[in-house]
Amino acid sequence: MGSPRRAIAPMTDGSAVRRRARRQDVRPWRHQPGRGHGQDVALARLRMDELINAWVADRCTPFQIALLGVFDSGPFLLADGSVDVPRIRRELVARARRVVAFRRRVIWTRLGEGMPVWAEDPSFDPGRHIEGATLPSGDDLATWAAQRILRPLPLDRPLWRAEVVDGLPGGRFAVIIVVHHVLADGITGVALAGSLLDPAPDATPAPTAPHPTPSLPTHLDIYRDRLRGLAAGLGRLRAGSRAHRSARIGLRAIRTRLRETRALLGTRTSETSLPRTVGPTRRLVVVRWPLGELRDSGHALGVTVNDLLLAAVTGGLRKLLLARGDDVDRLTLRTSVPAATREGRQASGILLVDLPVRETDLLRRLELVHQATAEQKRGLNAGTADITDLLHLPLPLARMGTRWLRRFGGTRVNLFVSDVPGPPAPLWLAGARLLEAVPVAPLVQHVGLCVAALSYAGELAVSVHADGSVTELELLAEGVAADFAAFRAAAPTPVPAENVGG
């Protein structure tokens, strides 16, 4: 559940939503009782990374991350063998009420009003965000869920949705939690999904205290807040020569970032048989592997679990492309990987890693991937440019850069790969244990393949997500699993027996 971080047009198909939002009857903005003593305070504006995540989406690729959870229905099982979906929805509603992030929505701004604004929705009703559905007989849960995730979230409401799914075999049910990337990245999205669950089977949600919500800010409130911000900025600029020197240094830094980012993305990747245009259908295949085994293998081989994942994806991609008739010995393929830097944020940097699909030797592939990621990380920590330097550009330049990436990104990147740490201990929903947790990262324009990994309760779930035209997707998943097993066998020291499995 992670990808590059995030007017004011959030989606190409979102303008009508924003026009409706602008026409709505919003009352003058007021503060919560006891706060601010009636004086104005600054509104909470979207960060640039959040706004970029709004710009990325289009009609067939809404920029939404998701978690597919499969539960043991235990306490929700009815006498006739069916699952009590209304009760599950009530339990989720009770937990959603206490999550502040689930109450927030975006007020999309007009020209001259600055960045869009976060505000709590006075009409928030979690029941409107939690639905029920039945898995059609004979359908594969993963691919069916990927198609459900594709439904766009309304932009004039809090940006999330949950869906309770019955009809699963083996006395189980599923919950699909969808969050817009404007609201959360992979790590934050996992935390938000976890906030709907319990740390123990007998835990109960605390009663939700009455929550006074201020009315939504009007566009006049937003405009005045913008003027106050501009005035404060001018005051700082007039404060002395140090501010002028900072402004000049900032302009030089912008020019340097533009040059370096252009060079970083200057090399085109190879065209393959994989679709360059992403359509309205999806396929999803899942690989599960013991996390402890991967950690032991990585330790023995001197690499990280993320290196193992990238090398295994390379092996799976080679297998898939060979089956589709591609000449892999002539291909240059590249993936984009979100990476943490010293700032400690998941997507504070992006690694662009060339995948050695030409290499037939397993350990040599792993070595090349390890060298590439280590070099990229050194560059990030040294402060050299990466794609997320768009966040530091002025708004018009950042938007131009995002439009360029939407149009030409598929010629520089072939797929996305992310690896997000999840809860190490099991979670429950009102006594029903979460058995499986599968991340689903979004596709973007012209890049029809994405791999996302999530650790949960000692297991790593790897989802392979693609445009629906990639009918051989299982080959990539099989290649990932085969390489994981091969890494275990190639480890120079024995893997502890208790960690062997899968």
Side-chain angles (χ1 to χ4, degrees):
M1 301 174 58
S3 58
R5 300 263 313 186
R6 311 142 279 283
I8 285 193
M11 292 186 181
T12 54
D13 61 341
S15 57
V17 173
R18 291 194 307 282
R19 286 194 296 269
R20 290 197 300 271
R22 289 167 184 165
R23 290 196 299 266
Q24 66 184 335
D25 181 19
V26 290
R27 296 165 289 165
W29 183 60
R30 296 291 182 268
H31 303 290
Q32 295 183 23
R35 294 184 59 185
H37 306 289
Q39 298 180 6
D40 290 325
V41 296
L43 298 173
R45 301 274 180 169
L46 267 68
R47 301 189 309 267
M48 179 65 82
D49 58 326
E50 295 169 333
L51 186 54
I52 286 177
N53 283 339
W55 291 338
V56 166
D58 78 344
R59 183 176 61 86
C60 290
T61 55
F63 210 40
Q64 299 168 176
I65 59 177
L67 181 73
L68 169 62
V70 177
F71 293 79
D72 175 15
S73 57
F76 298 107
L77 200 60
L78 298 174
D80 61 0
S82 63
V83 176
D84 191 347
V85 172
R87 186 187 158 205
I88 297 171
R89 292 181 61 191
R90 289 195 298 271
E91 295 288 353
L92 290 170
V93 165
R95 288 155 178 78
R97 290 189 190 281
R98 63 190 182 187
V99 183
V100 174
F102 283 156
R103 298 196 293 262
R104 296 196 307 164
R105 55 157 293 188
V106 178
I107 307 298
W108 301 103
T109 48
R110 300 168 176 167
L111 183 65
E113 294 177 347
M115 299 284 275
V117 172
W118 285 112
E120 285 197 40
D121 189 348
S123 62
F124 173 64
D125 176 8
R128 296 175 61 203
H129 295 259
I130 301 174
E131 308 168 353
T134 299
L135 177 68
S137 178
D139 276 23
D140 173 69
L141 174 63
T143 290
W144 180 85
Q147 205 64 38
R148 301 291 292 181
I149 291 163
L150 194 57
R151 294 178 298 146
L153 292 161
L155 298 179
D156 55 354
R157 293 169 50 186
L159 297 173
W160 67 279
R161 175 178 69 238
E163 192 165 17
V164 181
V165 185
D166 64 356
L168 277 66
R172 300 174 300 159
F173 69 91
V175 176
I176 307 170
I177 302 170
V178 183
V179 177
H180 200 290
H181 234 319
V182 171
L183 179 62
D185 67 1
I187 288 179
T188 310
V190 169
L192 284 175
S195 66
L196 295 176
L197 304 177
D198 309 318
D202 56 352
T204 56
T208 305
H211 180 77
T213 303
S215 57
L216 293 174
T218 66
H219 286 284
L220 180 59
D221 295 323
I222 295 170
Y223 181 70
R224 287 172 173 168
D225 179 81
R226 172 66 169 163
L227 291 180
R228 285 193 296 270
L230 291 173
L234 288 173
R236 288 191 297 269
L237 194 61
R238 293 170 180 154
S241 59
R242 193 167 11 177
H244 291 282
R245 284 198 302 272
S246 297
R248 289 196 298 271
I249 292 171
L251 288 174
R252 286 199 296 270
I254 287 171
R255 288 196 294 268
T256 300
R257 287 191 183 105
L258 284 172
R259 286 195 302 269
E260 291 182 344
T261 303
R262 181 179 178 182
L264 192 69
L265 295 171
T267 306
R268 296 173 68 96
T269 60
S270 301
E271 288 195 29
T272 71
S273 62
L274 296 174
R276 286 282 191 179
T277 301
V278 179
T281 61
R282 299 290 185 270
R283 298 201 69 228
L284 185 71
V285 183
V286 183
V287 176
R288 298 180 181 83
W289 208 264
L291 180 61
E293 179 184 301
L294 289 173
R295 285 175 174 163
D296 289 338
S297 298
H299 179 74
L301 295 168
V303 299
T304 66
V305 171
N306 197 55
D307 290 334
L308 293 176
L309 174 65
L310 287 174
V313 169
T314 304
L317 195 55
R318 176 182 173 86
K319 184 175 183 178
L320 171 65
L321 293 174
L322 281 171
R324 292 174 65 91
D326 291 80
D327 184 359
V328 296
D329 293 332
R330 301 174 63 88
L331 295 181
T332 298
L333 302 186
R334 184 178 301 128
T335 184
S336 170
V337 185
T341 67
R342 287 171 294 187
E343 297 174 8
R345 291 169 53 197
Q346 179 205 359
S348 55
I350 295 295
L351 307 183
L352 293 178
V353 181
D354 287 343
L355 301 179
V357 290
R358 308 177 188 183
E359 181 58 58
T360 59
D361 182 83
L362 173 81
L363 294 183
R364 177 59 179 161
R365 275 205 308 268
L366 178 60
E367 180 184 2
L368 291 172
V369 165
H370 176 66
Q371 290 174 357
T373 57
E375 181 179 353
Q376 289 272 310
K377 288 175 183 176
R378 283 193 297 270
L380 286 181
N381 289 326
T384 56
D386 77 288
I387 294 176
T388 55
D389 281 334
L390 282 173
L391 309 183
H392 308 293
L393 298 176
L395 189 64
L397 290 178
R399 184 154 194 182
M400 287 174 59
T402 304
R403 286 176 174 171
W404 185 92
L405 287 173
R406 279 173 47 140
R407 185 173 180 182
F408 298 108
T411 65
R412 269 65 178 178
V413 171
N414 301 94
L415 73 156
F416 298 98
V417 179
S418 63
D419 183 9
V420 176
L427 297 175
W428 284 264
L429 174 60
R433 179 168 173 162
L434 175 63
L435 303 174
E436 303 170 7
V438 178
V440 184
L443 304 182
V444 300
Q445 284 183 345
H446 311 305
V447 183
L449 181 61
C450 182
V451 178
L454 174 70
S455 59
Y456 165 66
E459 182 178 73
L460 188 74
V462 181
S463 70
V464 184
H465 188 203
D467 181 81
S469 63
V470 187
T471 57
E472 313 91 343
L473 199 60
E474 287 83 0
L475 294 176
L476 199 162
E478 291 169 5
V480 170
D483 277 9
F484 281 167
F487 292 139
R488 177 185 61 195
T493 54
V495 174
E498 65 269 21
N499 288 332
V500 175

